[in-house]
Amino acid sequence: MITEKDFVFTTITNAIEKGNFQWSAPSNIALVKYWGKKDQQIPANPSISFTLNNCKTITKLAFAKKHFDKLSVTNNRFSFDLLFEGKPKEDFKPKIQKFFERIEKYCPFLRDYHFTIDTENTFPHSSGIASSASGMAALAMNIMSLEKALSRNFGTEMTEDFFYQKASFLARLGSGSACRSVKGSVVVWGNHAEIEGSSDLFGVEFPAKIHENFKNYQDTILLVDKGEKQVSSTVGHDLMHNHPFAEQRFAQAHDNLAKIKIVLETGNLDEFIKIVESEALTLHAMMMTSLPYFILMKPNTLEIINTIWRFRNETNIPVCFTLDAGANVHILYPENVREHVLQLIKGELVGYCQNGNYICDSIGTGAIQIL
Ligand code: PMV
């Protein structure tokens, strides 16, 4: 079994002077939700997600070796500039600083370089779509490209498997769900008895063959509320400590993952809908029953859910919804009903979106190297 120790970088070298890498990494949408964690972003229960295709972060990492006494205290700090859409963005820096501190043990070479991190999202910043998953995944991929280059310089060729596994491992330490954004198209994160190779430490590609029904599955994100998150996910996960329903919830996630595994193999869309919608509502039920309690859905979130239910009853079109820790609604449906669902969205659901905004996405393949 792979343990944390396998990810500690031991090659002593910093022989590469400078260079740069660039990666894009997508967002992902959980079908069975991760909600609740232990220390070091170890999930309280396993989760599974669709990797998205269009909503992504593109990050360039330029690095230059520091040239001074490594023992000097000031020079031994992490050194990086952060640009968002080409402009310095000071308020993103503490998150990156914390990320570097968390992964330093596994990537000690980070202290040897000055970095310029240049990042942008393909979706609007204020859309209410969290960029932490795609952002941390894109940064982790770049760091792994550097590690791979350093290893190669030392005469060791890193395997593809290790590269992606450690990238997911690092991304997890940045933001839990980010570890599911490295690969596509369906990723499991967290130990599960029936998923071979699953781990609490990193995400793995769904190991069985996925039914044709899910090929190019669609996710249209209805932007109901673009405001700042009412509850950060850190606070949210914490609410599962001492939560009266925590144990049942964690057990339910294991059950739902076992069920959805079969659904993904057999293509049973009715079962898919039941599991996915129940998971979304359970996530929100956990928030409503914690102390303090929160309601993150807005009136328009409920309007959308009711409209989808009515439409599904009337047409038998297998469209369903899921939610993140916010008011926006992800509408999931097979590619062959796209036109019908888009008609519903344009004709009716758009009226519940803030400024009529929604984003069309679909299932994707994971991070892509650009440079
Ligand atoms: O990765 P975090 O800590 O932002 O948590 C994400 C939690 C949910 O989006 C609500 C569920 C999930 O599994 O993605």
Side-chain angles (χ1 to χ4, degrees):
M1 204 179 75
I2 297 164
T3 68
E4 262 185 80
K5 285 203 187 71
D6 296 308
F7 295 118
V8 176
F9 182 77
T10 45
T11 311
I12 310 293
T13 175
N14 49 13
I16 301 176
E17 277 297 318
K18 62 180 177 145
N20 55 70
F21 298 106
Q22 191 177 29
W23 281 85
S24 75
S27 185
N28 69 75
I29 180 68
L31 306 171
V32 172
K33 308 287 180 182
Y34 150 59
W35 198 241
K37 65 178 170 185
K38 304 172 202 161
D39 215 21
Q40 293 285 314
Q41 320 266 81
I42 295 297
N45 65 260
S47 57
I48 187 167
S49 52
F50 279 160
T51 303
L52 297 183
N53 194 44
N54 302 333
C55 289
K56 49 191 179 187
T57 299
I58 301 163
T59 300
K60 188 171 177 180
L61 181 76
F63 57 96
K65 205 173 144 200
K66 292 184 199 167
H67 279 285
F68 26 64
D69 175 10
K70 274 175 70 183
L71 294 175
S72 133
V73 176
T74 33
N75 292 338
N76 205 18
R77 290 197 184 125
F78 295 118
S79 166
F80 65 94
D81 295 316
L82 198 271
L83 305 177
F84 180 65
E85 294 175 347
K87 295 193 196 92
K89 185 92 175 159
E90 289 302 309
D91 37 329
F92 282 7
K93 284 185 88 172
K95 229 180 160 179
I96 307 286
Q97 171 73 27
K98 204 165 157 200
F99 177 53
F100 279 1
E101 284 165 13
R102 278 194 194 153
I103 66 169
E104 183 192 2
K105 188 168 144 196
Y106 310 102
C107 304
F109 54 85
L110 289 176
R111 286 203 187 270
D112 299 332
Y113 289 94
H114 173 78
F115 297 102
T116 305
I117 304 164
D118 197 341
T119 189
E120 64 189 44
N121 298 329
T122 57
F123 47 90
H125 180 52
S126 57
S127 59
I129 298 184
S131 59
S132 57
S134 53
M136 287 300 173
L139 186 53
M141 297 310 289
N142 279 303
I143 292 170
M144 282 313 292
S145 279
L146 175 55
E147 179 169 327
K148 188 177 171 180
L150 290 172
S151 298
R152 180 176 292 154
N153 227 33
F154 197 69
T156 324
E157 202 55 44
M158 189 184 282
T159 64
E160 275 274 293
D161 276 358
F162 180 82
F163 181 89
Y164 278 96
Q165 229 164 48
K166 184 165 174 183
S168 175
F169 172 88
L170 297 178
R172 183 197 101 236
L173 290 166
S175 173
S177 62
C179 76
R180 297 187 314 235
S181 275
V182 163
K183 284 272 187 170
S185 54
V186 179
V187 177
V188 177
W189 167 40
N191 256 320
H192 188 277
E194 288 162 52
I195 306 275
E196 211 191 306
S198 58
S199 169
D200 283 349
L201 300 179
F202 47 82
V204 296
E205 270 176 281
F206 184 69
K209 192 173 176 341
I210 298 166
H211 193 274
E212 280 289 298
N213 282 353
F214 297 103
K215 200 173 159 222
N216 214 11
Y217 221 69
Q218 305 287 303
D219 178 5
T220 302
I221 310 162
L222 303 183
L223 304 176
V224 171
D225 184 26
K226 300 194 258 172
E228 278 287 303
K229 272 196 183 176
Q230 226 188 90
V231 187
S232 73
S233 49
T234 312
V235 172
H237 291 293
D238 263 359
L239 295 173
M240 289 307 282
H241 292 296
N242 304 319
H243 191 292
F245 307 131
E247 288 316 311
Q248 292 98 311
R249 161 60 197 151
F250 301 147
Q252 180 198 40
H254 279 268
D255 284 352
N256 279 344
L257 195 39
K259 284 185 188 145
I260 210 163
K261 177 177 184 277
I262 297 167
V263 164
L264 289 169
E265 289 171 38
T266 58
N268 185 338
L269 293 179
D270 289 341
E271 271 304 304
F272 178 80
I273 289 170
K274 274 189 213 155
I275 299 166
V276 168
E277 292 192 343
S278 165
E279 275 288 321
L281 294 177
T282 301
L283 170 71
H284 282 256
M286 289 300 114
M287 293 178 216
M288 288 192 245
T289 48
S290 55
L291 276 176
Y293 39 79
F294 295 95
I295 299 180
L296 299 187
M297 289 185 273
K298 298 277 183 212
N300 280 349
T301 311
L302 294 177
E303 295 286 0
I304 292 167
I305 292 174
N306 281 316
T307 308
I308 290 172
W309 283 347
R310 200 200 62 229
F311 177 79
R312 195 165 72 216
N313 276 336
E314 284 168 7
T315 62
N316 269 329
I317 288 175
V319 54
C320 70
F321 73 87
T322 188
L323 307 164
D324 266 342
N328 294 339
V329 184
H330 288 247
I331 306 194
L332 302 177
Y333 50 98
E335 192 181 24
N336 64 3
V337 296
R338 191 163 184 265
E339 286 318 311
H340 296 284
V341 178
L342 283 178
Q343 255 174 35
L344 172 76
I345 292 169
K346 288 177 189 159
E348 212 169 326
L349 298 179
V350 71
Y352 302 122
C353 299
Q354 216 172 47
N355 307 322
N357 281 329
Y358 61 91
I359 296 174
C360 290
D361 212 334
S362 58
I363 201 165
T365 52
I368 297 170
Q369 183 160 20
I370 302 163
L371 282 177

